[in-house]
Amino acid sequence: MPVLVENSALIELKPAKATGLGMTQLGVPVLDGTQVKKGTLHEFLQSTGEGTVGRRYQNIRVTAVRTTEGGVESAKVFVAFEVFGDDNVPEGANGGFAGALLKGDDVLLALPVTPLFLPYGRAWYENQAVFDVPLAVFDGAERLQFTARADSIRAI
């Protein structure tokens, strides 16, 4: 059975402005104390066990936000990207992606595994996930490790 091999990439998180269309689209309550960190990765490929490209990820955008809503301070991390299934589809439930917030090489928080929205091969699909994170993790996070998980696939 063909498989996609697990692959990871690191995305640097840099302080960013708490303004713009991106904040509005995410519904972030922007206040004087709102803090934002952003990072992007333009292209990321996941290979099959035979070494060919099996899945493509593009425009991976990470937005980490620390703000106050209803008098309660919280932090969230948004991960958005497009994914293309090339000439295959997952066998059963797909393996999805996982993430981890890092400070240097130290893992501050492993994010839950999230399935991909990828109903058909040979098509691009927008994906988005949001994760609540402790305030101290937001403060220390310097990078996000994006991991495309191993997956059993069927050629089409």
Side-chain angles (χ1 to χ4, degrees):
M1 177 179 302
V3 296
L4 294 175
V5 179
E6 185 169 289
N7 191 14
S8 294
L10 294 173
I11 301 170
E12 299 294 323
L13 299 176
K14 302 287 183 184
K17 294 180 182 177
T19 59
L21 183 59
M23 295 293 103
T24 302
Q25 289 174 330
L26 295 175
V28 174
V30 178
L31 308 169
D32 287 339
T34 300
Q35 298 174 20
V36 178
K37 296 179 184 182
K38 290 185 178 181
T40 60
L41 180 62
H42 297 291
E43 185 173 58
F44 179 68
L45 304 176
Q46 186 176 16
S47 299
T48 66
E50 292 79 38
T52 60
V53 174
R55 195 171 283 161
R56 300 169 192 272
Y57 299 80
Q58 286 192 341
N59 197 22
I60 301 172
R61 302 165 314 277
V62 180
T63 306
V65 178
R66 180 178 179 155
T67 193
T68 302
E69 183 178 40
V72 177
E73 190 172 22
S74 66
K76 296 183 185 297
V77 174
F78 298 85
V79 180
F81 55 90
E82 291 97 42
V83 63
F84 183 77
D86 276 22
D87 293 330
N88 63 72
V89 293
E91 277 289 324
N94 66 58
F97 74 96
L101 291 166
L102 307 174
K103 181 173 185 170
D105 291 331
D106 296 331
V107 174
L108 299 175
L109 180 69
L111 302 175
V113 173
T114 303
L116 299 174
F117 178 73
L118 187 63
Y120 296 103
R122 298 184 184 141
W124 284 100
Y125 293 99
E126 182 72 30
N127 277 253
Q128 185 170 339
V130 62
F131 307 96
D132 290 310
V133 300
L135 298 174
V137 170
F138 171 89
D139 292 342
E142 299 171 343
R143 302 186 288 174
L144 179 119
Q145 179 179 335
F146 181 90
T147 302
R149 294 174 35 93
D151 221 346
S152 296
I153 55 174
R154 175 176 40 86
I156 52 173

